[in-house]
Structure formats: structure tokens, C-alpha cells
Amino acid sequence: MTVFCLVEVDGDAVADASLRALTLARDLPGGLAAVTFADPPLAELAAYGAADVYVVSGIDGYAPQAWARALGGLLGGLDGLGDAAAAVPPAVVAAGTDRGNEVLAHLGAITGLPMAANCTAVSASPDGALAVVRQRWGGLLLEEAVLEAPAALLTVAADAVSAAPAAVPGAAAAHLVSPSLHAGDLAVRAAEEPAGAGGASLATARVVVGGGRGVGSAEGFAPLDELAALLGGVVGVSRVVTSEGWRPHTQQVGQTGTKITPDLYLACGISGAIQHIAGCSGAKHIIAINTDPGAPMVARADYAVIGDLHEVVPALVKALRSRA
Amino acid sequence: MEVLVCVKRVPTVGGAIALTGDGRGVDTRMSGFTISPHEECAVEEAVRLCERYGGSVTVVSLGPAEAEEQLRSCLALGASSAVLLETGGEEFGPMATAAALHSVAASGGFDLVLLGNEAADTGDYQVGVRLAHLLGWPVATGVKALSVSAASLEARREYRGVTEAFSLPLPAVVTVKEGINLPRYPSLPGRLRAKRAAVTRVPVPFTADPGLRMTSLRVPPAARRQATVLGHGADAVPALVSVLVGLGVVS
Ligand SMILES: Cc1cc2nc3c(=O)[nH]c(=O)nc-3n(C[C@H](O)[C@H](O)[C@H](O)COP(=O)(O)OP(=O)(O)OC[C@H]3O[C@@H](n4cnc5c(N)ncnc54)[C@H](O)[C@@H]3O)c2cc1C
Ligand SMILES: Nc1ncnc2c1ncn2[C@@H]1O[C@H](COP(=O)(O)O)[C@@H](O)[C@H]1O
């Protein structure tokens, strides 16, 4: 059977979260097919093992229920789903992004199938059941579960699976499909607007400079902004900072904010509460700047500077400027 | 405008999560209970909408008898009625949860149903969408800004640094995220009102969702790294710069 992976396209590349979804999708039995609603980056999809690429036409922009209907159509219609002859059920996999979770929830509602959100691992047993591991509590707990359904619907936790190309590339044979939509499927659709401040987004930034209560005030962020700009990154903050109104909630890292997966997270004046760690444990490297050597953030870091961030960050900015 | 808000009773998690002996639940002997920050914001948003446009807020929770505590906190924040869909404490899956919430949502002449984007504990990311399908209403998820006019609403969220806007006819379902507002603290009169208010109780028998079965929970191994202390204060900056060069973030 086929494993369909909903692929989000970012400019002319596959979105990072979708590369992670493709990587996990390869652990499911069956041929891998990518599904896109935009021009597909075929070379990248081949490298990640896609044998087929279904390009859905006729839906302009993001319309969650229509996207779900199209994926449902690819599953072969609901009648085919009860087919007992197929030992291995088909699957639909998506990235655990706002869009991925939303589309698969619609697909679950349309088909009456269960949906497992934010999976970190999956493996098949010969009888067709799947063992899945999924995040609870924003990743603070892992749930082991058994998924036994006519088709498996799952999303992939972006911060817990790293992207890796396939050992053997796929053919990435492109097929154009036009979905048969139902009335109302296009009733809810996104109109994209340019973002306020613009720039790189927190979720995909390669470098994040984090600021917490230790920064002390809205004005205190100036050196962190400068440092982020020098490192080609963005500023992320703790919940204390957004509750104090020093920074907008769009910049919050954590369980109820954004989950980040940068190469470097430089956490300044952040204690490292578990709800914050839930958002930054996907960082490849962590450096902590904190006055308290016993802070949990320091224990979670690869490197630490013990000291006042109001002294260390400006000195670092100065040192980096003098190198340029 | 009549607004229904769905809230779930979950343990308050502080420094760490401990599991019960059988590894199938969170040990709550030492913890209090709360609702998720997303749901607190949903209640606040509903109260603000009704303050502005008139109407009233109903809160509903599917959970054990003790979930009355969470409903009363919502009443203290300005909700005017509360429904407890009372269970025997079993963990309902997202399908059974949506079905139970549907019985209340479909009955009351509501213009809008608000939920959290995901529950704090199970994080299934789907009850709102399933509920919308049962109601046959449009739905927007992950919403961080909401404005309502006579017959429609405008919902906004972030998508990779871009704002996405959705416009939905009413009645509609919207799932919200923390950041849509800053919830207020309960007032003293609010708390007194909440104490006296009646909570409607409706028993709900347990049904298991088909197909997905939790077998156990575990705490992931803490990614405790071997922190190398580069030094103290500004004296550590040269070492810090070398690390940044080593990691390839500065050339
Ligand atoms: C349900 C729930 C969800 C939550 N979701 C999130 C979330 O998404 N994101 C999040 O961040 N939090 C979240 N929290 C809050 C979390 O529990 C913590 O309260 C919060 O992360 C603490 O922020 P902080 O580290 O900035 O502040 P604090 O814990 O107060 O830590 C400040 C740190 O700064 C250090 N410091 C102070 N002054 C200086 C200085 N001059 N120089 C250097 N270091 C200094 C201190 O030593 C300390 O380590 C959530 C909580 C709950 C209950
Ligand atoms: N037992 C429940 N009672 C009331 N509302 C719930 C319940 N479970 C989930 N919800 C609502 O559905 C949202 C999404 O939950 P979930 O899909 O389980 O992540 C939550 O934020 C709540 O608003």
C-alpha cells in the first residue's frame, strides 16, 4: 500500500518540517508518495525517497478542508478502505505544523478515522497494526500507542525527528490530480498577508537568541536584537517576557509558544522551566548565559557563560563587530 | 452573541512530570488542577466578545465530577453558565470528546464555539475540527487574533512569519492559542458569583475511540548535556566567540 506524505512547499524548496515528515514516513511499509498543492521540488522529493509525486491542481492557496478532501481521494475513496485483502493499510503522513495537524484532523473527521498527532517514531508489525510513539504535554511525555485502522493518519513532531535523505532515492514520478471537492470544502481558505515585522521566522531560524526574565525590560532587549542580527538569527523569548508585555507572543518559545529547531539557541537570562525546554529541545546546540550556575537551562546547555547578560551580551556584540 | 467555550481539566505541571505506578497516567497526588493557557485565552476572548456585543458565555467540560472546580474558575472570569459532562474519570479519545461536546454545542443557539488549539495533556490537535464537522460549521484553528461582525468572523494566525487570515460565516468553531489576549484575573464579585452559580450536570457513559489505543506513557530521557563553562562575565567572551566560530554561525 501507499504512504502518502503531505508536503508543504516553502518558496521553491520542501519545508524543513515536511522533510522530517518524509523521513519518518519512510519507516512505514509501502511505497512513498509525496502530495503537494504547489510546484513540487522534484529533485529534493526524489532524494527523500518519493517514488511518486501527486501534484493537486485546482485549489488556489491553502484551504484545509479541500486539502483533506484531496488526500482522502488519493486514499482511494472510503469504499476501498475496508478492503480486508490489503494486509498493510495505507497511510497519510503530514508535518506536525499548524497546517499539517489541521488538514489531518479534517481528514480524520471526513473519514471517521483516528489521527495520531506529533509522532516521534512508528513501526509496523506483520498483522498490519502500527506501533506509534507520540508526544503528549508538548513533548514532556511520550505515549506508546497501537494504531489499528483501515488507514493510518499521523503527523510528525518536527522537533523530535531530524531530516535525513533516503539511502536509495525515489523516482519522484509526477502525476497531476484534480480532486473532486464537496460543496463547502473551499468555504474556509487562507488569504496571506505580509507579516508585520517580516524577516526570518522563529520556527525555521538557524540561530535563535533567547531572552528571559533576566533581560529585565523591553529596552533591555536592544543588545539581544543586535546580537541576533549579527548572527543572522531572530530573538525568541520566555513566557515571562510575553506576559510582561516586553515582547509579542509571536516570539515565545515553548509548550504554548513556538517550537524551534535552530543550529544554535543562545539562551540569555532564561531559567529553563520544563515548558520552555519543551520548545527548545530540538536545538542542535545550546549556549546559556545565566548568573545562576545551577539553572536548569545551564544543565541543558552544551556551553555556558556564568554572569550578567547585561555585561556579557554587549561585550559579545562588540567583539563580533570588531571581527567584521 | 452566544458563545460556548470548551475547557479540559488537566493536572498543573510544575518542575517535572511524574507517572503513576502503572505508567498509564500522570501522578496527580501532589498536584493541583487547571485548564491549559490556550483555553484560558478562549474564555477571556469569549468574555470580551460578549462585553462588547452583548450575549453570554457558556463553559462546558467533559470530565470527572471534580472538573466543576475548573468550570467555577471560568464562571469567576465572566462566563454565565456551566455544563459538566460528567464522566467516571476515564480518558476519552478525541472522537468521543467531540461527540459529547456536540450534544451541548448543537443544543443552545450558539453563534460561536471556542476551544483550545490543543489540550495541554493529550495534545491531540483535533477535537475542534471534529466538533465542527459534527455541527456542519466552518472552523479555523490556531487562531491568534479574532474579530467578529454581524454574520461573520475574521480569524488570523501566523504561518512561517506570514499572517494568514480566514473569514468564516457564523455560526463557526474557532480554536485559539495563547497570545490572542492576556487573560484577566478573577474579580472578587466574580468569585462570589461563581460560588453561587449552578453547574448543570449531564452524565456521559464512556466509549472508547476506535483504532488508536494508548499502551503506556514514559518520560523521555532528559537531554542533559555536558555543559562546558566557558568562563565568568565578559572575560568569557573570547572563548564564546571561538565556540561560535566552531559552530559555524560566525565566520
Ligand atoms: C501550562 C504552562 C505553559 C507554559 N508555557 C510556556 C512557554 O511556552 N514558554 C515559556 O518560556 N514558559 C512557559 N511557561 C512558563 C514557565 O513555567 C516559566 O515560568 C518561564 O519559562 C520562566 O521564564 P524565565 O526563564 O524567563 O524566568 P525565570 O524562571 O524567572 O528565570 C530567570 C532566569 O534569569 C536568570 N537571570 C536573572 N538575571 C540575570 C542576569 N542579569 N543575567 C543573566 N541571567 C539572569 C536567573 O538566574 C534565572 O535563571 C508555561 C507554564 C505553564 C504552567
Ligand atoms: N474533555 C474535554 N472537555 C472539554 N473540552 C475539551 C476536552 N478535551 C478537549 N477539549 C477541547 O478541545 C481542545 C483541543 O483538544 P485536543 O484535540 O484533545 O488536543 C482543547 O483545548 C479543549 O478546548
Side-chain angles (χ1 to χ4, degrees):
Chain A
M1 286 309 269
T2 307
V3 178
F4 297 97
C5 184
L6 169 62
V7 168
E8 295 174 56
V9 178
D10 201 358
D12 44 15
V14 175
D16 182 61
S18 293
L19 291 178
R20 298 164 190 258
L22 285 162
T23 305
L24 184 127
R26 292 201 306 264
D27 290 342
L28 287 161
L32 180 60
V35 183
T36 70
F37 291 79
D39 281 345
L42 287 174
E44 220 178 346
L45 294 172
Y48 275 77
D52 295 283
V53 178
Y54 294 96
V55 185
V56 183
S57 64
I59 303 174
D60 192 20
Y62 178 60
Q65 189 168 316
W67 283 29
R69 188 79 63 188
L71 287 166
L74 287 168
L75 268 180
L78 297 183
D79 312 339
L81 283 182
D83 187 0
V88 184
V92 181
V93 178
T97 54
D98 278 352
R99 286 188 175 182
N101 282 323
E102 182 176 45
V103 170
L104 260 60
H106 275 285
L107 184 55
I110 288 171
T111 57
L113 292 167
M115 188 277 256
N118 290 318
C119 297
T120 62
V122 47
S123 58
S125 63
D127 62 358
L130 292 178
V132 305
V133 182
R134 57 175 299 271
Q135 294 181 336
R136 285 195 179 204
W137 290 98
L140 299 174
L141 279 187
L142 293 176
E143 167 188 349
E144 312 259 5
V146 176
L147 179 56
E148 257 171 315
L153 310 185
L154 24 111
T155 66
V156 178
D159 60 330
V161 174
S162 25
V168 183
H175 316 274
L176 215 58
V177 289
S178 26
S180 29
L181 301 180
H182 291 201
D185 283 351
L186 290 168
V188 178
R189 55 200 308 171
E192 288 201 7
E193 302 169 9
S201 95
L202 188 56
T204 53
R206 295 331 313 160
V207 175
V208 177
V209 175
R213 191 198 300 275
V215 177
S217 64
E219 301 72 46
F221 273 92
L224 277 75
D225 284 323
E226 222 178 326
L227 179 57
L230 281 169
L231 298 176
V234 300
V235 165
V237 303
S238 74
R239 191 180 189 217
V240 166
V241 170
T242 59
S243 325
E244 291 288 339
W246 299 342
R247 283 283 167 149
H249 192 275
T250 46
Q251 296 183 346
Q252 182 172 311
V253 172
Q255 188 181 329
T256 51
T258 300
K259 297 196 165 199
I260 59 171
T261 53
D263 291 332
L264 172 65
Y265 183 45
L266 213 167
C268 312
I270 295 178
S271 64
I274 57 171
Q275 295 91 353
H276 187 81
I277 297 292
C280 67
S281 59
K284 261 198 205 106
H285 303 280
I286 297 179
I287 301 177
I289 301 178
N290 203 301
T291 42
D292 175 10
M297 198 72 239
V298 172
R300 293 294 186 107
D302 304 288
Y303 302 94
V305 174
I306 308 305
D308 184 349
L309 70 93
H310 299 292
E311 185 193 326
V312 179
V313 175
L316 177 57
V317 166
K318 203 168 148 218
L320 291 176
R321 280 212 186 289
S322 69
R323 287 172 58 87
Chain B
M1 127 163 261
E2 294 301 314
V3 187
L4 178 68
V5 187
C6 307
V7 300
K8 182 177 190 182
R9 173 182 167 92
V10 296
T12 308
V13 164
I17 298 191
L19 293 177
T20 52
D22 67 357
R24 296 177 54 85
V26 172
D27 186 351
T28 55
R29 283 173 304 179
M30 307 298 268
S31 73
F33 288 83
T34 182
I35 62 175
S36 90
H38 298 325
E39 292 156 29
E40 284 170 11
C41 288
V43 173
E44 175 66 28
E45 197 67 17
V47 170
R48 285 186 195 184
L49 284 171
C50 291
E51 282 170 351
R52 193 141 166 220
Y53 301 107
S56 65
V57 178
T58 303
V59 283
V60 59
S61 188
L62 171 77
E66 295 82 4
E68 184 181 332
E69 179 194 347
Q70 280 62 50
L71 290 171
R72 288 203 190 275
S73 330
C74 298
L75 290 167
L77 292 170
S80 40
S81 47
V83 181
L84 174 59
L85 298 170
E86 193 172 335
T87 70
E90 308 89 345
E91 185 172 289
F92 280 55
M95 292 185 205
T97 301
L101 296 174
H102 176 243
S103 66
V104 176
S107 70
F110 294 108
D111 303 295
L112 177 64
V113 180
L114 294 180
L115 302 92
N117 185 61
E118 82 274 4
D121 56 350
T122 51
D124 292 309
Y125 289 79
Q126 56 190 273
V127 168
V129 174
R130 289 191 189 270
L131 175 60
H133 278 257
L134 292 174
L135 290 163
W137 295 0
V139 56
T141 70
V143 170
K144 292 190 79 169
L146 191 60
S147 59
V148 174
S149 62
S152 68
L153 65 80
E154 184 92 350
R156 280 161 216 278
R157 72 177 186 194
E158 301 141 26
Y159 178 70
R160 284 204 217 113
V162 182
T163 302
E164 273 186 333
F166 298 88
S167 88
L168 279 65
L170 295 174
V173 176
V174 172
T175 79
V176 309
K177 279 191 182 172
E178 185 183 65
I180 189 171
N181 55 44
L182 269 183
R184 71 194 71 188
Y185 291 101
S187 63
L188 188 60
R191 270 190 235 170
L192 295 174
R193 195 165 11 91
K195 248 187 207 155
R196 292 190 304 265
V199 171
T200 309
R201 290 164 178 271
V202 182
V204 178
F206 177 69
T207 47
D209 275 18
L212 184 62
R213 189 163 37 87
M214 179 261 278
T215 51
S216 65
L217 299 176
R218 63 187 158 88
V219 181
R224 179 170 274 274
R225 314 186 187 206
Q226 272 308 326
T228 305
V229 175
L230 298 172
H232 290 74
D235 294 345
V237 165
L240 187 49
V241 172
S242 325
V243 166
L244 294 178
V245 172
L247 295 177
V249 293
V250 296
S251 47

